[in-house]
């Protein structure tokens, strides 16, 4: 088990290196110039500003943008390995500080969102499986399909319209107390619950056909115990897998949800940095997201053994 | 009677104030006439200014369309960032309610007969937020900082027109220009021409991390992406002002989110109200809209070296092809006006009414001209625009349809803004859609767009000797009637060459709670500087 974990951790290193190289290359391949974005951008409305070539060249030199690309990447990598992600082109603050500030908000959002997705999705899935081929099944699966198909920005606006503007129960924006967490987490969770519901339904149906379930029923166990203790626990293994994968989707969803609800977070920071071509910030935010994704999936792999004692790592 | 210290700026203006100042009358004459042509303090503006007694105290939450990426007052980073900088820093002169110039850190100024020497009498007793007294040395240090190429100041080119800054005594500054420039005084009114403290600059503090100015509000704290907090400057030189205790700026980059926050009462003011939501804000009994006409315009810019746009006849033909009213209606929900003539706005003394109607929507005429230019069967072109700003994309889509209707195969290239900026700087495009603001009230704003060597001309390869000559003449002529004649010739030439097709003006507005008093939207392109009026904003307790 320990050996397995060690191998898995070591294997993440090339993955992260690949992510950093890919991010770096994409950033430098797409057009757009950080120096231009910094020096007033010719159309933010500034007609009076006509930046001199001297100022422009100075800035590029200062930002290290005139070095050859391999040199820039090597510089970035050496500092990053020492935990230094540089300073933001835009704010001139250390990137690490900015990320440390917003990261808790995104963790909070995705964890609560994921919890809601599993709760709602699991419940819908079990209900659908138990009422297979009835109207209840069709109705719950239709709901999950809507969840799957619904873009999170749209759902976000609907929730704002209903709960903030019509009913005035919850604030539409912000990132302060728990009340500001409810709508964004619900948006994220509802959208992700669709996948979970469909998966739980199909694995439940499969498990319910197994002989040990028939055995459990034959023993005279109550239906509730059969479902919860025998069926659900075994049906959860594929769900744990999908939860690991869904975590990536939730991180992606956070990008949109954080923007819609004007909420602090890693996703919004990444988007704004991309639009302004703030290279150090983009590289670091994407790397942090990648680390999170890799870690969650590592935990998922390790949890199989705990969920299913038959699984052995070698 | 320069009673700039009176708390109510509006009253002082009505009394005439600095109108009699010799210098301003001579060179800034254009500006004053422009202001006079506007509805100066009529209707609501007057009502708000005179409504009840302002009550001091209270906080205001201001929803901004962008988080200021930096705090350096000399580097422009968009209207949202300058909203904050304007309240903390002060400029020598500033725009006020009618869009006219008002003395600020300078009480008065005189301009020599040859238009080359500006002598400013500074307001006595002004202190920076750190307690340091404001003197002529601060003006000198600030202007020299803007001139320094290493700083990257937005107004570096403009400030470099000043050859010498002399601090004559504590409260007198003399600027020497290489050549006359009627827009100089307006450059000094731009928020990007903020006066910084020499002591602060000498101390080497990073102006990106904190702000020390002379303005009505002091910088308290900033959490990037979350909030920036300002507090009342107890030592503000306009006694009794400001009224508000604190202003908290919160960035709402998504326009729908910003409007939701306003409708839901989470914020007191929202800038850049999307045109689609203006009606909703107006209809809401708890909200009102502070609105200005002719704030900014949409246009098509041709890369005049790229065939077929190297032919002026083709550009002229296309100027007939755009359905400008459709853009006003569909993109700006009717909140704008078409530009069928010159670009100098109707509110300006230099507006050329006789040119209006030069380019009506006339697809038949467009096809005629295309045939004349040898393109009876049309051609294929690619229009560059951005998907990042809705008004750019929607305008581009309408233009595309208009061109297809006259047999031109027009493809759209939609990128994010950063990419568009790079493409246009490199000149790698055929033609593009752009939204711009004149920034200056004086018609010399045309220099920034059309002088050969300006950023816009370089990126579109446009250069015309006749235009350059007229621009220079307009700058050096001091007589207003003579200048008007020059700008008529200039705009006629511009329309003939059509390096740009002007499409429409748009309105610009902030939404605010009904109870907020004293906040005013400045007219025309000065509307982007309306935040200065927050110094007289108040709310009933």
């Amino acid at each position: 088990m320990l050996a397995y974990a060690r191998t898995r951790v070591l294997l993440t290193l090339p993955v992260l290196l690949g992510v950093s190289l890919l991010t770096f290359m994409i950033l430098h391949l797409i057009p757009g110039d950080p120096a231009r974005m910094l020096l007033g951008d010719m159309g933010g409305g500034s007609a009076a500003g006509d930046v001199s070539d001297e100022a422009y060249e100075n800035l590029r030199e200062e930002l290290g943008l005139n070095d050859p690309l391999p040199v820039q990447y090597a510089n970035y990598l050496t500092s990053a390995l020492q935990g230094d992600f540089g300073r933001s082109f835009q704010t001139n603050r250390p990137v690490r500080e900015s990320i440390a500030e917003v990261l808790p908000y995104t963790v909070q959002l995705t964890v609560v969102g994921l919890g809601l997705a599993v709760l709602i999705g699991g419940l819908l899935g079990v209900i659908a499986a138990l009422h297979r081929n009835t109207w209840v099944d069709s109705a719950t699966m239709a709901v999950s399909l809507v969840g799957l198909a619904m873009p999170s920005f749209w759902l976000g606006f609907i929730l704002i319209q209903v709960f903030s503007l019509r009913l005035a129960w919850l604030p539409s924006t912000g990132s302060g107390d728990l009340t500001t967490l409810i709508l964004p987490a619900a948006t994220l969770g509802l959208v992700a619950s669709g996948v979970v519901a469909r998966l739980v339904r199909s694995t439940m149906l499969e498990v319910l056909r197994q002989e040990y379930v028939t055995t459990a029923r034959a023993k005279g166990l109550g239906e509730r115990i059969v479902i919860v203790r025998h069926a659900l626990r075994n049906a959860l293994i594929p769900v744990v897998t999908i939860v690991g994968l869904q975590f990536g989707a939730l991180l992606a969803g956070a990008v949109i949800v954080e923007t819609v609800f004007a909420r602090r977070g890693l996703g919004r920071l990444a988007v704004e940095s991309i639009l302004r071509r703030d290279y150090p910030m983009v590289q670091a935010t994407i790397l942090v997201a990648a680390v999170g994704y890799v870690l969650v999936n590592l935990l998922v792999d390790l949890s199989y053994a705990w969920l299913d004692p038959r699984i052995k790592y070698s | 009677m320069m009673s700039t210290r009176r708390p109510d700026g509006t009253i002082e203006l009505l009394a005439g104030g600095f109108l009699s100042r010799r210098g301003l009358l001579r060179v800034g004459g254009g500006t004053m006439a422009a202001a006079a042509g506007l509805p100066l303090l009529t209707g609501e503006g007057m009502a708000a200014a005179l409504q009840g007694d302002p009550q001091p105290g209270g906080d205001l939450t201001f929803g901004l369309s962008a988080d200021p990426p930096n705090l350096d007052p000399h580097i422009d980073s968009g209207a949202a960032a300058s909203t904050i900088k304007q309240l903390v820093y002060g400029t020598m002169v500033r725009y006020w309610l009618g869009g006219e110039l008002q003395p600020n850190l300078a009480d008065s100024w005189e301009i020599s007969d040859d238009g080359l020497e500006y002598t400013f009498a500074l307001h006595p007793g002004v202190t920076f937020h750190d307690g340091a007294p404001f003197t002529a040395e601060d003006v000198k240090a600030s202007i020299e900082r803007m001139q320094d190429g290493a700083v990257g100041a937005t107004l570096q080119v403009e400030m470099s027109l000043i050859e010498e800054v002399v601090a004559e005594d504590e409260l007198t500054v003399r600027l020497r220009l290489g050549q006359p420039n009627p827009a100089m005084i307006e450059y000094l009114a731009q928020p990007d021409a903020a006066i910084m403290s020499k002591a602060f600059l000498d101390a080497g503090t990073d102006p990106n991390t904190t702000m020390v100015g002379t303005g009505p509000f002091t910088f308290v704290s900033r959490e990037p992406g979350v909030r920036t907090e300002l507090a009342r400057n107890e030592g503000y030189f306009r006694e009794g002002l400001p009224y508000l205790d604190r202003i908290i700026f919160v960035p709402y980059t998504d326009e729908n989110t910003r409007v939701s926050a306003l409708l839901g009462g989470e914020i007191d003011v929202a800038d850049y109200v999307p045109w689609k939501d203006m009606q909703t804000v107006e209809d809401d009994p708890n909200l009102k809209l502070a609105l200005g006409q002719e704030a900014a315009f949409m246009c098509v810019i041709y890369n005049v070296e790229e065939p077929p746009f190297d032919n002026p006849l083709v550009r002229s033909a296309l100027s007939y092809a755009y359905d400008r009213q459709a853009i006003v209606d569909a993109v700006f929900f009717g909140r704008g006006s078409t530009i069928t003539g010159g670009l100098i706005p109707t509110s300006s003394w230099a507006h050329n009414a006789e040119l209006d109607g030069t380019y009506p929507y006339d697809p038949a005429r467009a096809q005629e001209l295309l045939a004349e230019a040898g393109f009876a069967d049309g051609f294929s072109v690619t229009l560059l625009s951005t998907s990042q700003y809705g008004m750019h994309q929607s305008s581009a889509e309408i233009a595309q349809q208009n061109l297809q209707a006259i047999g031109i195969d027009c493809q759209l290239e939609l990128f994010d803004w950063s990419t568009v900026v790079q493409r246009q700087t490199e000149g790698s495009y055929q033609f593009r859609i752009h939204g711009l603001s004149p920034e200056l009230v004086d018609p010399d704003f045309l220099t920034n767009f059309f002088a050969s060597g300006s950023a816009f001309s370089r990126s579109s390869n446009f250069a015309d000797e006749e235009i350059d000559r007229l621009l220079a003449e307009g700058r050096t002529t001091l007589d207003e009637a003579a200048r008007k004649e020059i700008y008529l010739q200039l705009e006629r030439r511009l329309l003939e060459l059509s390096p740009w097709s002007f499409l429409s003006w748009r309105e610009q507005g902030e939404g605010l709670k009904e109870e907020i008093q004293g906040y005013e939207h400045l007219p025309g392109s000065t509307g982007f500087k309306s935040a200065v009026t927050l110094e007289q904003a108040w709310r009933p307790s």
Side-chain angles (χ1 to χ4, degrees):
Chain A
M1 177 80 182
L2 260 178
Y4 174 78
R6 198 164 49 223
T7 324
R8 282 299 311 266
V9 170
L10 284 177
L11 273 175
T12 60
L13 290 179
V15 171
L16 296 179
L17 194 71
V19 167
S20 79
L21 183 63
L22 215 60
T23 315
F24 181 85
M25 280 182 2
I26 291 173
L27 266 182
H28 285 85
L29 277 176
I30 55 171
D33 184 339
R36 285 268 170 239
M37 297 320 285
L38 267 174
L39 288 170
D41 55 5
M42 228 172 63
S46 179
D50 191 353
V51 176
S52 71
D53 294 341
E54 181 197 359
Y56 172 72
E57 276 308 319
N58 279 341
L59 188 63
R60 279 193 67 88
E61 193 63 43
E62 194 187 311
L63 297 178
L65 293 168
N66 287 339
D67 295 336
L69 283 189
V71 174
Q72 287 189 45
Y73 182 65
N75 287 344
Y76 159 66
L77 209 58
T78 9
S79 339
L81 284 175
Q82 296 160 22
D84 174 12
F85 292 95
R87 282 172 178 272
S88 156
F89 284 173
Q90 286 286 333
T91 62
N92 201 29
R93 293 174 70 225
V95 164
R96 205 170 44 180
E97 270 178 34
S98 303
I99 290 185
E101 275 169 13
V102 300
L103 192 59
Y105 292 94
T106 299
V107 170
Q108 199 183 36
L109 177 65
T110 44
V111 167
V112 176
L114 200 59
L116 281 176
V118 172
L119 207 69
I120 299 170
L123 213 60
L124 285 181
V126 170
I127 292 173
L130 293 181
H131 299 86
R132 190 182 173 197
N133 293 338
T134 64
W135 66 270
V136 180
D137 185 16
S138 317
T140 43
M141 281 306 102
V143 168
S144 80
L145 201 63
V146 170
L148 260 177
M150 191 152 40
S152 48
F153 68 89
W154 187 79
L155 178 61
F157 283 131
I158 296 295
L159 291 181
I160 289 177
Q161 191 67 32
V162 174
F163 292 100
S164 301
L165 299 185
R166 291 282 154 80
L167 300 171
W169 287 353
L170 293 164
S172 68
T173 57
S175 31
D177 52 15
L178 275 181
T179 56
T180 61
L181 179 64
I182 297 174
L183 288 184
T187 307
L188 213 51
L190 283 175
V191 169
S193 67
V195 181
V196 178
R198 299 188 81 79
L199 190 78
V200 168
R201 177 183 178 273
S202 60
T203 54
M204 263 311 260
L205 284 178
E206 204 173 301
V207 168
L208 285 175
R209 275 198 299 267
Q210 299 289 323
E211 285 169 358
Y212 64 82
V213 174
T214 319
T215 310
R217 285 199 175 120
K219 278 199 301 195
L221 288 179
E223 188 64 12
R224 176 166 305 194
I225 294 180
V226 172
I227 299 299
V228 175
R229 197 178 293 164
H230 293 264
L232 192 59
R233 179 153 179 209
N234 285 296
L236 274 181
I237 295 176
V239 174
V240 169
T241 312
I242 206 79
V243 160
L245 297 174
Q246 276 290 305
F247 183 74
L250 283 170
L251 275 179
V255 170
I256 290 157
V257 168
E258 283 168 358
T259 303
V260 168
F261 291 94
R263 193 183 153 79
R264 297 180 83 172
L266 197 65
R268 204 170 129 212
L269 185 64
V271 170
E272 282 172 12
S273 308
I274 290 169
L275 290 180
R276 292 180 187 279
R277 300 293 188 271
D278 190 344
Y279 293 168
M281 194 69 99
V282 178
Q283 275 157 355
T285 45
I286 291 180
L287 196 64
V288 168
V291 168
Y293 187 64
V294 166
L295 271 183
V296 166
N297 280 287
L298 180 63
L299 289 178
V300 164
D301 283 357
L302 294 178
S303 70
Y304 289 149
W306 176 73
L307 278 172
D308 186 348
R310 286 172 305 175
I311 296 177
K312 291 272 183 288
Y313 297 108
S314 50
Chain B
M1 62 144 297
M2 191 58 52
S3 53
T4 34
R5 266 164 294 180
R6 288 176 63 166
D8 190 344
T10 55
I11 303 299
E12 163 204 321
L13 255 176
L14 289 174
F18 61 98
L19 281 174
S20 57
R21 291 289 151 169
R22 170 171 161 257
L24 191 70
L25 256 190
R26 173 159 302 131
V27 175
T31 310
M32 293 318 301
L38 291 163
L40 184 77
L41 285 182
T42 51
E44 261 180 68
M46 177 77 94
L50 301 177
Q51 188 177 63
D53 283 331
Q55 294 168 14
D59 296 349
L60 186 103
T61 309
F62 195 118
L64 279 178
S65 50
D67 187 44
N70 68 55
L71 298 178
D72 190 321
H74 291 160
I75 298 176
D76 173 53
S77 34
S82 98
T83 300
I84 297 177
K85 294 173 189 175
Q86 275 182 87
L87 291 170
V88 176
Y89 286 98
T91 46
M92 299 283 276
V93 290
R94 67 178 188 181
Y95 295 100
W96 197 240
L97 304 183
E100 77 290 10
L101 291 172
Q102 191 193 47
N104 196 38
L105 289 175
D107 265 345
S108 63
W109 56 93
E110 279 194 31
I111 301 167
S112 63
D113 289 336
D114 58 6
L116 293 176
E117 261 191 16
Y118 288 59
T119 309
F120 291 90
L122 304 183
H123 193 86
V126 177
T127 54
F128 283 97
H129 298 157
D130 61 1
F134 159 69
T135 71
E137 289 298 334
D138 300 310
V139 178
K140 185 173 157 69
S142 299
I143 292 179
E144 285 171 357
R145 178 171 191 265
M146 287 183 262
Q147 293 173 334
D148 181 357
V151 173
T154 305
L155 292 174
Q156 193 209 342
V157 174
E158 289 77 8
M159 288 300 147
S160 299
L161 300 169
I162 301 171
E163 292 190 335
E164 192 186 21
V165 187
V166 183
E168 304 246 290
D169 59 47
E170 287 258 293
L171 293 175
T172 314
V173 175
R174 189 162 48 79
L175 311 182
R176 248 204 96 72
L177 273 58
Q179 43 178 304
N181 188 326
M184 193 67 220
I185 200 77
E186 278 199 74
Y187 291 138
L188 292 171
Q190 301 300 313
D192 315 323
I195 301 301
M196 301 175 77
S197 151
K198 181 173 192 295
F200 174 83
L201 289 172
D202 287 347
T205 320
D206 183 0
N208 245 328
T209 54
T210 187
M211 302 197 275
V212 175
T214 55
F217 291 90
T218 60
F219 175 71
V220 176
S221 65
R222 165 173 158 77
E223 285 178 74
V226 184
R227 56 191 261 141
T228 304
E229 189 180 320
L230 306 183
R232 181 217 311 267
N233 171 11
E234 300 292 346
Y236 188 47
F237 68 92
R238 287 187 177 87
E239 258 169 58
L241 291 177
Y243 299 122
L244 293 167
D245 285 339
R246 292 195 309 163
I247 304 182
I248 296 120
F249 291 95
V250 183
Y252 287 85
T253 41
D254 185 275
E255 60 180 28
N256 295 311
T257 308
R258 195 163 62 253
V259 171
S260 299
L262 181 71
L263 295 173
E266 287 158 47
I267 53 178
D268 300 310
V269 187
D271 70 352
Y272 267 85
V273 176
W275 297 273
K276 68 179 169 60
D277 295 312
M278 283 186 173
Q279 194 62 47
T280 314
V281 172
E282 273 181 341
D283 291 346
D284 191 315
N286 300 318
L287 300 174
K288 58 186 173 184
L289 203 57
L291 203 62
Q293 319 282 326
E294 298 187 334
F297 61 91
M298 300 302 300
C299 60
V300 176
I301 301 178
Y302 304 95
N303 185 344
V304 301
E305 273 187 2
E306 282 282 315
F309 298 131
D310 51 349
N311 184 347
L313 204 53
V314 171
R315 305 192 299 256
S316 180
L318 262 58
S319 292
Y320 284 106
Y322 304 114
D323 186 351
R324 294 169 172 81
Q325 192 58 47
I327 291 177
V328 170
D329 291 342
V331 182
F332 300 110
F333 292 76
R335 298 189 182 257
S337 52
T338 62
I339 311 176
T340 54
L343 193 56
I344 298 174
T346 53
S347 55
S348 168
W349 57 270
H351 175 70
N352 293 306
E354 53 268 64
L355 296 179
D356 289 346
T358 306
Y359 286 122
Y361 175 46
D362 191 347
R365 177 88 185 113
Q367 276 173 312
E368 249 174 68
L369 286 179
L370 279 183
E372 203 179 307
F375 292 103
D377 299 327
F379 45 74
S380 292
V381 278
T382 308
L383 176 60
L384 174 68
S385 185
T386 179
S387 48
Q388 198 170 329
Y389 303 119
M391 59 174 169
H392 287 239
Q393 181 173 345
S394 311
S395 302
E397 283 162 355
I398 292 174
Q400 180 190 30
Q401 284 173 20
N402 292 156
L403 295 184
Q404 279 166 348
I406 59 163
I408 294 174
D409 171 32
C410 178
Q411 300 298 317
L412 278 191
E413 276 186 312
L414 295 169
F415 296 113
D416 76 334
W417 182 242
S418 187
T419 304
V420 169
V421 169
Q422 171 144 357
R423 290 281 295 267
Q424 66 194 31
T425 314
E426 289 168 352
S428 52
Y429 64 95
Q430 285 186 296
F431 65 144
R432 65 185 213 244
I433 290 264
H434 215 127
L436 290 165
S437 167
E439 299 269 313
L440 303 177
V441 175
D442 191 276
D444 187 50
F445 74 82
L446 292 167
T447 301
N448 296 311
F449 295 145
F450 300 108
S452 56
S454 75
F456 287 96
S457 292
R458 273 184 287 144
S459 70
S460 58
N461 298 304
F462 177 73
D464 182 62
E465 279 177 20
E466 172 82 358
I467 299 257
D468 283 342
R469 186 182 63 77
L470 289 166
L471 282 171
E473 222 175 283
R475 250 190 190 186
T476 45
T477 306
L478 301 178
D479 177 66
E480 190 174 300
R483 284 190 83 199
K484 189 162 167 39
E485 183 54 37
I486 294 167
Y487 286 110
L488 176 61
Q489 287 180 47
L490 180 76
E491 287 208 307
R492 194 168 272 148
R493 175 84 180 154
L494 271 179
L495 290 172
E496 185 190 313
L497 292 178
S498 288
W500 300 14
S501 293
F502 310 129
L503 300 176
S504 67
W505 286 105
R506 66 167 205 247
E507 294 177 5
Q508 187 75 28
E510 294 81 47
L512 58 159
K513 282 193 182 146
E514 183 66 40
E515 63 181 61
I516 311 278
Q517 304 295 327
Y519 178 83
E520 300 282 330
H521 189 93
L522 306 188
S525 64
T526 61
F528 293 101
K529 287 133 188 157
S530 303
V532 288
T533 67
L534 282 172
E535 78 169 32
Q536 58 163 31
W538 58 278
R539 64 193 312 166
S541 45

